[in-house]
Amino acid sequence: MNKQDADILLELCRKPHVNQRELARETGWSLGIVNKALKNLTDAGLINADGSISAEGADEVERCRPTRAVILAAGFGMRMVPINMTTPKALLMVNGERLIERLIRQLNDAGIRDIEVVAGFMKDQFEFLIDKYDVKLIVNQDYGLKNNLHSMALAAAASEKRARRSGTGENVYIVPCDLWCDENPFRRNELYSWYMMADSADPDSGVRINRKDEVVRLRSGENGQRMVGISYFLADDWAALKGRLLEMDKDHRYDEVFWEEALFPTGQDRMEVYARTVSGESIVEINTYEQLRELDSGSNHLHSEAIRVIAECFGVSEREIVDISVLKKGMTNRSFLFSVKGDKYIMRIPGEGTDFLINRKQEAAVFKAISGKGLCDDPVLILPEKGYKITKYLDQVRVCDADSEDDLRKCMKLLRHFHEMNIQVEHTFDIFAQIDFYESLWEGEPSIYTDYENTKKKVLELKAFVENEPHEWSLTHIDAVPDNFLFYQKDGKEELQLTDWEYSGMQDPHVDIAMFGIYVFYDRPEMDHLIDIYFDGKASDRIRARIYCYVAICGLLWSNWCEYKRKLGVEFGEYSLRQYRYAKEFYRYAKELIEKIK
């Protein structure tokens, strides 16, 4: 049965005994195609001569009936900043109803009650759905590291387990959590697998619908169509898709890939399922604060403290804050871009658990100390009690390329210039105290590393050397990593500044050199090259040994920090492991060099 025949049979299930013209109007197919489909269905024994569904046709409809749904709700929903600091996107209230509850209700109305929700970010907030709707929760622990292909793989693994147990397949709806559907998109009857597309254009989409009602990748010069994301799979197609999802999930190349990539078999530019086209106005995807404001201006979730602070700062109404978009998620904070009166700004919002990690009053003191010194733009607003910070947006910004010799030399020149200013503040950044502090935040739980105690003991052996070596303390950035060196355009010239001063305090400035290298995973030769650039090739073995010590010490510091963040549900993958390796490897390098210079 082809798609046209299936559409006609579905319409006959919905409205028996309709005539050909009504079928053409409801399905969108021409009268000629309708007549041909009716003949095909009659010849196949799926409908009777009077157009009613035959017993064989009823069996086919029953075989293809939806049996289960999977709702994908694990992600950060980063574009919903500042809303998603307290509420997962799926639980946004729109027109008096939570997004995910509306989708569940619409699935229930279509007869589907076997529903799984894949949750991750703020997963505990989804628990009430179990009692209220009898849904099942699948927890995606890696939501911070992987895209939604991993969520789909978890659902596929659960489905495979059921299939082995029952010996039967499943006809499944896949549903994104961020959709507001004006009319119910789910049906009691389905006859083929499909992926839902809107009839509206989308410049960010990489696919379109061709004349055969297939979803195909764009070729050069073609315009994309909006991908809605709801999809339906008959048991055989779902079984094939599950296999691809599970295989792709094992390959780290797909960690940041959307699950739809699995719909394109290797080497093909066409999805293996048909397109189902809907009106772009009937289904709204809510990805941003402004989209929610447009759909439901009375939503309680629009009452964001961050937005109110911006309005008060600039003396404008909340409606005048526009062009809100999320920036790259930082390791400590979330930031978003916005415009007021034609000018662009960035607002920083502290991330999970940062109240324990950063003293915002000390950060404000640092900005006061560096104000007017050309190291960075002075904040438009800084609220120490909340951790909010507003800064002017820099045009055409790029961060330091740690593999570029020219960038390294410029960044080390700025770093050394800053250190030579010998700026003084009243607070220090005590690395060893911070190591213990981050460890204390584990609340008695052991380290994930079995040899942690021995590694820490060795790192602490380096304390005496770094403290006894002659050095001058001054304001040190502490987080002087390549991503915090910003190249930007000003008056037609490329300028450079250093941003993110929230960890800054009095310390040995050589710590900043170590921090730069460990962030980008420099090995020993690369670290030595960085040291040579900073010191113009004049670093003594004693200085080099001290920096080696700081690499080991700071590696343990950030490893402990990562372990604390991990307990909050925020994973940093390779970064965490590499920091721990620095603690062990550069301890050995430091000890070897210290022995040499004695």
Side-chain angles (χ1 to χ4, degrees):
M1 182 170 25
N2 60 34
K3 186 175 186 292
Q4 295 96 321
D5 295 351
D7 285 343
I8 299 304
L9 184 57
L10 283 172
E11 187 59 26
L12 289 172
C13 290
R14 191 173 74 88
K15 297 174 74 174
H17 306 299
V18 294
N19 61 42
Q20 287 94 323
R21 292 191 180 278
E22 289 176 301
L23 286 171
R25 184 178 64 251
E26 294 296 331
T27 63
W29 295 115
S30 69
L31 193 58
I33 289 178
V34 168
N35 288 326
K36 183 178 180 180
L38 289 172
K39 182 179 186 305
N40 291 341
L41 293 170
T42 303
D43 291 346
L46 299 176
I47 62 173
N48 299 314
D50 63 356
S52 61
I53 309 295
S54 69
E56 188 175 345
D59 288 342
E60 179 65 8
V61 170
E62 184 61 31
R63 182 185 70 83
C64 300
R65 191 184 301 279
T67 57
R68 178 179 290 270
V70 175
I71 300 177
L72 303 176
F76 280 111
M78 283 302 300
R79 286 182 286 174
M80 290 307 299
V81 167
I83 296 173
N84 72 344
M85 296 301 298
T86 57
T87 305
K89 184 163 58 169
L91 299 182
L92 288 178
M93 193 74 73
V94 181
N95 296 326
E97 194 170 14
R98 290 185 179 92
L99 284 178
I100 196 168
E101 288 196 76
R102 182 176 178 84
L103 290 168
I104 292 172
R105 180 176 60 76
Q106 289 174 325
L107 284 164
N108 289 169
D109 289 347
I112 301 136
R113 297 189 175 276
D114 198 348
I115 301 171
E116 292 175 323
V117 175
V118 185
F121 177 60
M122 295 188 180
K123 61 184 180 300
D124 297 335
Q125 292 197 30
F126 292 87
E127 189 273 341
F128 79 99
L129 297 173
I130 298 173
D131 297 319
K132 190 170 183 178
Y133 298 102
D134 195 30
V135 306
K136 300 173 182 65
L137 288 188
I138 297 175
V139 176
N140 178 355
Q141 301 283 10
D142 296 321
Y143 66 88
L145 298 174
K146 300 183 179 182
N147 212 326
N148 66 6
L149 186 144
H150 183 59
S151 289
M152 280 288 285
L154 294 175
S159 177
E160 274 294 284
K161 186 175 180 179
R162 287 190 298 272
R164 288 194 298 270
R165 188 168 57 242
S166 66
T168 59
E170 299 173 331
N171 301 323
V172 180
Y173 278 118
I174 305 300
V175 188
C177 70
D178 56 2
L179 300 177
W180 175 268
C181 303
D182 189 37
E183 297 180 357
N184 195 337
F186 311 111
R187 305 181 292 205
R188 289 184 175 271
N189 298 312
E190 300 282 2
L191 287 174
Y192 55 87
S193 301
W194 48 258
Y195 182 90
M196 187 174 287
M197 299 283 293
D199 58 8
S200 53
D202 181 354
D204 295 324
S205 173
V207 300
R208 64 174 178 85
I209 304 172
N210 66 13
R211 293 181 179 180
K212 297 179 181 180
D213 257 4
E214 299 168 327
V215 181
V216 296
R217 298 189 196 275
L218 295 183
R219 296 176 180 175
S220 178
E222 293 181 331
N223 297 319
Q225 284 179 256
R226 181 181 146 213
M227 303 172 72
V228 175
I230 298 176
S231 50
Y232 182 73
F233 299 96
L234 296 178
D236 288 347
D237 292 328
W238 176 232
L241 177 61
K242 285 189 295 186
R244 287 198 294 274
L245 287 167
L246 293 171
E247 283 302 311
M248 292 171 73
D249 191 47
K250 298 174 185 176
D251 189 336
H252 288 301
R253 292 178 300 171
Y254 297 104
D255 283 354
E256 298 184 12
V257 167
F258 289 101
W259 76 266
E260 283 89 348
E261 195 65 29
L263 292 175
F264 292 93
T266 303
Q268 294 191 27
D269 292 330
R270 174 182 59 83
M271 282 190 185
E272 284 198 326
V273 297
Y274 285 114
R276 177 184 164 191
T277 308
V278 296
S279 167
E281 297 179 354
S282 66
I283 300 181
V284 179
E285 183 179 11
I286 303 178
N287 272 324
T288 67
Y289 179 93
E290 288 183 277
Q291 287 173 338
L292 175 60
R293 186 164 64 187
E294 183 177 339
L295 182 63
D296 180 12
S297 61
S299 173
N300 288 334
H301 293 293
L302 294 173
H303 302 314
S304 160
E305 182 180 48
I307 297 296
R308 179 182 58 78
V309 167
I310 294 172
E312 292 176 355
C313 174
F314 292 97
V316 298
S317 70
E318 294 186 4
R319 277 279 180 183
E320 293 176 87
I321 303 167
V322 297
D323 301 327
I324 301 169
S325 60
V326 71
L327 297 176
K328 179 183 177 183
K329 180 176 183 289
M331 298 182 75
T332 304
N333 306 304
R334 294 176 189 159
S335 300
F336 64 93
L337 182 69
F338 66 93
S339 295
V340 171
K341 296 180 179 179
D343 291 324
K344 294 181 180 180
Y345 301 88
I346 295 172
M347 183 167 196
R348 179 200 68 196
I349 298 178
E352 299 90 346
T354 53
D355 289 347
F356 293 104
L357 304 180
I358 296 168
N359 186 315
R360 299 297 179 182
K361 290 183 179 180
Q362 292 179 354
E363 179 192 23
V366 168
F367 277 111
K368 183 178 179 180
I370 65 175
S371 176
K373 290 183 167 55
L375 296 169
C376 71
D377 286 346
D378 296 336
V380 176
L381 175 75
I382 186 165
L383 296 180
E385 66 276 11
K386 293 291 184 181
Y388 294 162
K389 178 163 67 79
I390 298 175
T391 53
K392 194 76 182 289
Y393 174 76
L394 299 177
D395 193 31
Q396 299 182 49
V397 171
R398 69 176 181 88
V399 300
C400 169
D401 179 355
D403 294 321
S404 165
E405 184 74 9
D406 185 55
D407 277 12
L408 288 181
R409 292 192 177 278
K410 289 177 180 177
C411 290
M412 291 302 102
K413 181 180 179 181
L414 175 62
L415 190 61
R416 186 162 184 171
H417 170 66
F418 157 56
H419 292 158
E420 289 173 348
M421 289 180 177
N422 195 27
I423 299 171
Q424 302 291 303
V425 293
E426 294 183 358
H427 64 275
T428 64
F429 186 90
D430 186 333
I431 300 177
F432 294 100
Q434 288 294 315
I435 288 173
D436 290 336
F437 173 63
Y438 293 156
E439 183 181 325
S440 73
L441 296 179
W442 304 348
E443 296 181 340
E445 293 186 29
S447 170
I448 58 176
Y449 301 107
T450 56
D451 60 352
Y452 171 78
E453 293 298 334
N454 186 52
T455 299
K456 180 182 178 182
K457 179 181 177 181
K458 289 182 176 179
V459 167
L460 292 181
E461 292 175 9
L462 304 175
K463 183 178 181 180
F465 178 79
V466 297
E467 290 184 346
N468 292 332
E469 283 294 291
H471 59 277
E472 294 182 1
W473 272 34
S474 65
L475 181 63
T476 302
H477 189 281
I478 302 299
D479 201 18
V481 302
D483 287 356
N484 286 335
F485 286 87
L486 303 182
F487 291 87
Y488 64 100
Q489 295 294 318
K490 184 177 181 181
D491 300 327
K493 292 174 55 181
E494 188 172 65
E495 302 284 348
L496 176 61
Q497 67 171 234
L498 190 51
T499 190
D500 283 354
W501 295 78
E502 55 195 2
Y503 288 100
S504 303
M506 299 294 288
Q507 183 50 259
D508 181 350
H510 294 160
V511 167
D512 282 344
I513 304 169
M515 291 293 194
F516 187 101
I518 67 177
Y519 182 79
V520 284
F521 306 155
Y522 276 176
D523 59 19
R524 185 176 183 178
E526 290 169 322
M527 197 73 72
D528 282 336
H529 183 57
L530 183 68
I531 295 169
D532 290 338
I533 291 175
Y534 181 93
F535 289 99
D536 293 328
K538 299 174 183 177
S540 67
D541 282 347
R542 302 196 76 87
I543 289 176
R544 199 175 301 273
R546 191 158 87 244
I547 295 174
Y548 283 0
C549 289
Y550 287 136
V551 170
I553 295 164
C554 294
L556 186 65
L557 171 76
W558 295 131
S559 175
N560 283 10
W561 180 86
C562 287
E563 288 209 55
Y564 166 61
K565 299 291 278 188
R566 181 176 180 271
K567 295 178 191 303
L568 296 177
V570 182
E571 291 277 2
F572 291 108
E574 184 184 10
Y575 177 83
S576 177
L577 179 60
R578 293 292 288 268
Q579 298 310 302
Y580 190 66
R581 293 302 306 169
Y582 277 123
K584 301 174 79 168
E585 292 172 2
F586 271 79
Y587 162 80
R588 294 198 303 271
Y589 300 154
K591 292 292 283 186
E592 290 169 1
L593 195 50
I594 291 169
E595 288 297 320
K596 177 182 174 183
I597 62 180
K598 277 185 177 180

